[in-house]
Amino acid sequence: MVKFCSLFSGSSGNALFIGTEKTKLLIDAGLSGKRILEALCSIGESPAELSAILISHEHSDHVRGAGILSRKADIPIYANESTWCAMETGLGPVKLENKVAFCTGQQFEIGDICVRPFSIPHDAAEPVGFNFFAEGKRITTATDIGHMSEELLEYIVGNDLVLLESNHDTEMLKVGPYPWPLKKRILGDHGHLSNENAAKVVAYLAEKGCTRFILGHLSSENNFPELAYQTTYNALSEKKIAVGSDVELAVALRDRVGHINII
């Protein structure tokens, strides 16, 4: 049995949980340590049992609480070398034995979970998504994606569950309050994936056999959960794929714990 849950997912902070009976992992820690600890307890998980914190990249909405959690519960933090260099000062003191560096593209094991970090296009030092392999299941988390590519699709296809970024509605972003340089960054090849592009990816993955999808990392200013959901729902419907019977589709919310997925 593999347990997966979005604790928080959005432009204001990100933290995901994946675990087996033996191994418990936190993916990113972009909120206060207190809020993440409360969220873990709300899904029946003890922070003291966390095996590791995995960091996708150094932006504050992914690392804000990592240092305090590591210090409070003596948890190792895993990131690639470039991300460590970019985030280390902001984390505060972390025990040397709790600083673990992985190589992007190379699999490693934490307990009975195999982790494969893969490169994603985003404006950070060396950002990654993660494949997780446990008990014959495969789960992937991929957010902060400026654009989708054939190489990236190879890491995302063939999963039992995918959490994929659906950050913004393009038209909302274009007419919204953000200054033009920020809009240009978000829309760029190393920015964030739009609802429209996420929907196309989900439809493609569904045709290839994936049956569980969670849309994540929604913008607070340029998106609505209902809009992200409907955009992907429509793309699936166009392919004659029925949400609720053929596939499961959910949206990870920015400010609260999501549905617990047992796979």
Side-chain angles (χ1 to χ4, degrees), residues 157-173:
V157 75
N159 286 265
D160 295 282
L161 183 151
V162 173
L163 186 145
L164 181 70
E165 177 172 55
S166 188
N167 178 257
H168 60 275
D169 175 81
T170 302
E171 293 307 313
M172 282 185 68
L173 175 61

Side-chain angles (χ1 to χ4, degrees), residues 239-255:
K239 300 288 186 179
K240 309 300 182 185
I241 300 168
V243 175
S245 55
D246 297 328
V247 299
E248 297 179 16
L249 177 65
V251 178
L253 301 179
R254 292 182 302 106
D255 58 350

Side-chain angles (χ1 to χ4, degrees), residues 2-249:
V2 183
K3 180 178 181 179
F4 180 85
C5 183
S6 169
L7 305 179
F8 305 96
S9 182
S11 54
S12 52
N14 298 272
L16 311 171
F17 173 86
I18 184 169
T20 63
E21 288 295 324
K22 298 178 180 178
T23 307
K24 320 286 184 181
L25 305 179
L26 186 68
I27 309 157
D28 290 329
L31 295 94
S32 70
K34 181 175 183 292
R35 291 192 68 189
I36 294 173
L37 292 174
E38 290 172 348
L40 286 167
C41 291
S42 77
I43 63 169
E45 297 295 338
S46 169
E49 294 181 358
L50 282 177
S51 307
I53 301 169
L54 301 175
I55 301 297
S56 63
H57 64 288
E58 74 274 11
H59 290 166
S60 63
D61 60 325
H62 293 262
V63 303
R64 187 176 295 119
I68 184 63
L69 288 173
S70 179
R71 290 188 290 275
K72 188 177 183 67
D74 196 24
I75 306 168
I77 300 175
Y78 285 65
N80 57 44
E81 289 282 6
S82 296
T83 299
W84 266 114
C85 290
M87 73 176 179
E88 190 165 11
T89 301
L91 292 184
V94 175
K95 287 183 180 179
L96 182 61
E97 58 267 31
N98 284 338
K99 297 178 181 179
V100 184
F102 59 71
C103 294
T104 302
Q106 294 186 13
Q107 294 186 177
F108 59 93
E109 293 181 357
I110 303 175
D112 60 351
I113 298 179
C114 180
V115 182
R116 181 171 63 183
F118 55 89
S119 294
I120 57 173
H122 191 54
D123 56 354
E126 192 180 334
V128 298
F130 293 106
N131 296 138
F132 298 96
F133 306 87
E135 301 189 8
K137 305 297 183 182
R138 179 177 171 181
I139 294 171
T140 290
T141 61
T143 65
D144 300 78
I145 301 170
H147 66 279
M148 188 56 62
S149 65
E150 291 293 332
E151 181 181 3
L152 186 52
L153 275 174
E154 290 180 8
Y155 288 103
I156 303 177
V157 75
N159 286 265
D160 295 282
L161 183 151
V162 173
L163 186 145
L164 181 70
E165 177 172 55
S166 188
N167 178 257
H168 60 275
D169 175 81
T170 302
E171 293 307 313
M172 282 185 68
L173 175 61
K174 287 179 178 178
V175 303
Y178 284 0
W180 172 242
L182 179 55
K183 292 180 181 181
K184 186 177 180 181
R185 169 188 171 258
I186 293 170
L187 292 167
D189 281 348
H190 290 79
H192 290 278
L193 203 65
S194 69
N195 289 347
E196 298 85 351
N197 287 330
K200 292 176 184 177
V201 174
V202 169
Y204 172 83
L205 296 176
E207 288 185 309
K208 296 296 184 180
C210 185
T211 59
R212 295 192 189 194
F213 300 96
I214 303 173
L215 305 177
H217 210 294
L218 273 64
S219 167
S220 59
E221 297 288 339
N222 305 300
N223 212 350
F224 298 106
E226 299 82 3
L227 180 57
Y229 181 95
Q230 192 64 48
T231 304
T232 295
Y233 182 99
N234 291 345
L236 289 165
S237 297
E238 289 176 5
K239 300 288 186 179
K240 309 300 182 185
I241 300 168
V243 175
S245 55
D246 297 328
V247 299
E248 297 179 16
L249 177 65

